Amino acid sequence: MTIMKSEILSRSTEKTTLPVVLDDVEQAAARIVGHVARTPLVRSHALSELTGQPVYLKLETRQPIGAFKLRGAMNAILSLDDATRKRGLVTASTGNHGRAVAYAARELGLSATICMSSLVPANKIEAIRALGAEIIIVGASQDNAQEEVERLVHSRGLTRIPPFDHVDIVAGQGTIGLEIAEELHDLAAVLIPLSGGGLAGGIALAIKALKPGARIIGISMERGAAMHAAIAAGRPVPVQEEETLADSLGGGIGLKNRVTFALCSDLLDGIVLLTEGEIAAGIRHAAREEGEIVEGAGAVGIAAILAGKVRVSGPTAIIVSGGNIDPEIHSDIVGGAAA
Ligand SMILES: *Cc1c(COP(=O)(O)O)cnc(C)c1O
């Protein structure tokens, strides 16, 4: 289950101008410095040994919220004018993006409202409440929560901070690419967890500009890989969301996607899809061999190498995108009980 470049290229033959450029990413880096961590890029002894090539882990687990989403959210919020920003921010994400918006708002002295459905588990609600955000519980689906966001944008003048499909979000995530390009001069490939494509699109555009020879591989789960389905179809298509260990990679790319679909279809050299067992093996390897607590979405790059689904030739960077996993699920997986 791998789409390779020839297939992607045949679907985007016209020369298009990309919606985000290197200059946007460089400006984002200057804007967010001091507000987000410059994360470590560490050599993985185990994976370098296994592949016979230098393999590095970019540890976005070390961001203050435990995931890279702070980069994009911080850039988007700092890009707003003062009056807009002070009216308050709103989003419907209960995962890492919601945490990022809540954290950034607190850091900047702004108010954030996170809308969620009554199905969101208590531990997720508490994590966001602890960051000082206002929580509105409405309806029994993510769609209901999203409708509430739209209502608050109109009634209270709040500003919606989208999770991936926005130039400022993509530019913020792309700052990871700048950091890697600075540190790995002979970079050959980057493996990037792929969902809505803000992370992969941003990093890809920075790397393709600075290290044109490097290959960019997106990695998703077999269960509900929305960007993979969209690229295969040549346009965004509805995808059934399924439960997966890589829960931060769930959800669609938006049928009216404006930014990330174009970026990913133009810039990715391939997409690899993983089974649940392969993702579990990635989480387990991260804990046992690398000493890192990594969530399913964050472990897919490691998992793709362990599964033999990417051929490593030359210095390779793996984006370890986040570490927010339920401790019980984590210990079951690391102990070998789950999946
Ligand atoms: C959001 C997220 C991703 C995917 O990012 P996209 O920009 O939606 O592709 C990957 N890993 C983690 C931990 C995330 O929170």
Side-chain angles (χ1 to χ4, degrees), residues 114-339:
I114 317 291
C115 303
M116 26 184 115
S117 86
S118 58
L119 299 182
V120 173
N123 62 330
K124 282 199 168 182
I125 300 178
E126 282 323 306
I128 288 175
R129 200 192 303 277
L131 290 169
E134 181 187 343
I135 289 166
I136 297 185
I137 301 204
V138 56
S141 76
Q142 188 60 17
D143 286 349
N144 295 146
Q146 195 53 53
E147 285 156 21
E148 181 68 7
V149 168
E150 297 312 315
R151 215 182 56 74
L152 293 173
V153 167
H154 292 108
S155 66
R156 285 206 224 158
L158 301 185
T159 298
R160 161 195 326 104
I161 305 294
F164 55 86
D165 194 28
H166 190 283
V167 170
D168 297 330
I169 300 286
V170 171
Q173 323 304 28
T175 58
I176 296 171
L178 298 185
E179 292 172 17
I180 293 172
E182 253 176 54
E183 291 178 45
L184 287 182
H185 296 291
D186 46 358
L187 181 70
V190 188
L191 311 186
I192 312 175
L194 175 63
S195 176
L199 180 65
I203 294 175
L205 90 87
I207 296 288
K208 291 286 181 189
L210 297 166
K211 304 278 172 198
R215 282 188 313 142
I216 307 287
I217 309 294
I219 307 171
S220 302
M221 61 291 164
E222 285 184 356
R223 293 189 179 173
M227 185 62 82
H228 176 268
I231 290 176
R235 65 188 158 79
V237 287
V239 170
Q240 179 71 40
E241 193 166 343
E242 295 177 66
E243 208 172 296
T244 167
L245 278 176
D247 54 311
S248 294
L249 300 185
I253 67 164
L255 294 178
K256 295 190 182 136
N257 187 291
R258 294 180 308 120
V259 179
T260 59
F261 173 65
L263 281 175
C264 290
S265 27
D266 270 37
L267 299 176
L268 298 189
D269 295 291
I271 297 176
V272 170
L273 302 183
L274 300 176
T275 67
E276 294 300 299
E278 287 164 349
I279 297 167
I283 295 172
R284 201 176 295 126
H285 172 98
R288 290 184 184 168
E289 307 291 334
E290 314 289 348
E292 297 291 333
I293 295 174
V294 177
E295 62 176 283
V300 295
I302 293 173
I305 290 186
L306 294 176
K309 288 186 169 173
V310 276
R311 194 177 36 82
V312 180
S313 58
T316 297
I318 299 176
I319 311 300
V320 181
S321 54
N324 294 322
I325 183 169
D326 182 310
E328 272 178 40
I329 295 176
H330 187 260
S331 67
D332 282 354
I333 292 169
V334 174

